[in-house]
Amino acid sequence: MVLRIAVQAKGRLFDDTMSLLHETGIKLESAKRLLLVSATNFPLEVLFLRDDDIPQSVADGIADIGIVGENEFAEKRKRASIVKRLGFSKCRLSLAIPKGMDYPGIHWFDGKTIATTYPKVLGDFLKENKINADIHVITGSVEIAPSIGLADAIFDLVSSGSTLVTNHLKEVEVVMKSEAVLIQHPDLSAEKAAILEELLFRIESVLLADDKKYILMNVPTENISKIVEVLPGMKSPTVLSLAKEGWSSLHAVISEKEFWNIIGKLKALDAEGILVVPIEKMIL
Ligand code: PRP
Ligand code: ZN
């Protein structure tokens, strides 16, 4: 019994998806780009598809699970459910209009034509906001629609924003925030569900370790309790005594963002020889 996962064959999610699988310790059969590749050390098969086809393939059971942008999943409305948000490939679906236009608010869109590849997500948004606009569905290069007179505005995926800048457009409404998600077929067999559970355990360990760092430092023993207050630790830190009288070595796990906030406080409490090292995996 193997679990089949559909992933994007190329494009925005590909690299991060492959490195996530890699970090879970799952090795794939060959580097050759086949459509379907088996793992050699885990009951998993990887099916490479266009992102647009992933929700359907999971709903139909062609794949048991899939990794896809939430934006695609939301648009396709297929029978599958989100198991886990993966935190990478963050982007948003936004409305954008020509840069030079005044934008007084959402009613600007009344009576306008909007080009998009996401008609369902857009349709819901317009309805909720009681906007009467025409949706013009096109399959690609949405961003050029206003300049060639095909539409007044666009509704599209924005990541870095550089596509908008290049095309003299400005983002005026963020309709949906998106990231890569793991989706599953609605009814997996008990055996497949068990494989998924093991895979999820590994994925969670990788994601948890992602922005976490292991921090080691030498501190005056008398300052330990104050330093512990500064460290927003997940557990109580490890304290080891040093050969040097009155000094201890303190180890803790912190998130990288927190590190920059606390470094000054640690130094003020006479912490020395602060060492920050990456964590590959973390199991709680
Ligand atoms: C999206 C979108 C824009 C671009 C935005 O296309 O349609 O063209 O990315 O990204 P930016 O804000 O970083 O410039 P994508 O390359 O994902 O292709 P697809 O929509 O055909 O899947
Ligand atoms: Zn696509």
Side-chain angles (χ1 to χ4, degrees), residues 8 12 51-52 72 117-118 139 143 156-164:
Q8 197 185 34
R12 159 180 316 278
D51 63 342
D52 311 53
E72 278 303 329
T117 51
Y118 299 91
T139 53
E143 60 275 3
D156 199 16
L157 186 151
V158 180
S159 173
S160 65
S162 68
T163 302
L164 294 183

Side-chain angles (χ1 to χ4, degrees), residues 4-5 29 33-38 45-48 62:
R4 186 182 286 171
I5 183 169
E29 224 169 17
R33 291 284 290 276
L34 302 168
L35 183 66
L36 187 64
V37 175
S38 297
E45 261 175 359
V46 182
L47 176 66
F48 292 97
I62 298 190

Side-chain angles (χ1 to χ4, degrees), residues 37-246:
V37 175
S38 297
T40 55
N41 59 354
F42 193 84
L44 187 80
E45 261 175 359
V46 182
L47 176 66
F48 292 97
L49 295 177
R50 276 172 39 126
D51 63 342
D52 311 53
D53 296 329
I54 293 174
Q56 176 86 61
S57 74
V58 172
D60 291 348
I62 298 190
D64 303 304
I65 59 174
I67 293 180
V68 68
E70 203 178 352
N71 54 307
E72 278 303 329
F73 182 64
E75 178 62 29
K76 293 297 189 291
R77 311 274 153 106
K78 299 298 178 190
R79 231 182 117 244
S81 52
I82 294 181
V83 197
K84 178 97 199 148
R85 310 176 71 82
L86 300 173
F88 61 83
S89 290
K90 288 202 172 153
C91 61
R92 51 206 188 266
L93 288 179
S94 293
L95 282 160
I97 68 172
K99 210 174 102 195
M101 294 265 182
D102 275 343
Y103 183 71
I106 198 157
H107 281 278
W108 183 89
F109 288 97
D110 261 322
K112 299 288 202 298
T113 301
I114 309 167
T116 190
T117 51
Y118 299 91
K120 289 183 182 153
V121 175
L122 176 59
D124 282 357
F125 176 80
L126 294 176
K127 210 160 140 194
E128 266 164 40
N129 288 281
K130 303 188 170 59
I131 305 289
N132 227 314
D134 260 353
I135 299 178
H136 190 99
V137 181
I138 49 181
T139 53
S141 304
V142 170
E143 60 275 3
I144 63 165
S147 64
I148 60 173
L150 205 59
D152 302 301
I154 68 164
F155 176 63
D156 199 16
L157 186 151
V158 180
S159 173
S160 65
S162 68
T163 302
L164 294 183
V165 171
T166 310
N167 291 280
H168 310 291
L169 297 167
K170 63 177 176 191
E171 186 176 13
V172 293
E173 301 284 343
V174 175
V175 171
M176 173 188 174
K177 291 209 167 135
S178 174
E179 65 189 84
V181 292
L182 182 71
I183 58 171
Q184 75 158 93
H185 184 68
D187 20 66
L188 289 184
S189 69
E191 283 159 297
K192 285 183 173 180
I195 302 172
L196 174 57
E197 204 175 311
E198 169 64 24
L199 178 66
L200 264 175
F201 171 73
R202 295 190 185 196
I203 288 176
E204 277 160 10
S205 306
V206 171
L207 295 181
L208 208 57
D210 243 12
D211 95 312
K212 295 287 192 287
K213 301 286 171 204
Y214 195 75
I215 183 169
L216 305 89
M217 68 200 100
N218 293 338
V219 299
T221 305
E222 57 180 16
N223 286 353
I224 284 178
S225 57
K226 283 185 195 143
I227 288 176
V228 169
E229 275 170 39
V230 166
L231 291 170
M234 4 192 325
K235 288 187 195 143
S236 69
T238 305
V239 179
L240 306 166
S241 47
L242 290 178
K244 194 171 156 196
E245 183 89 28

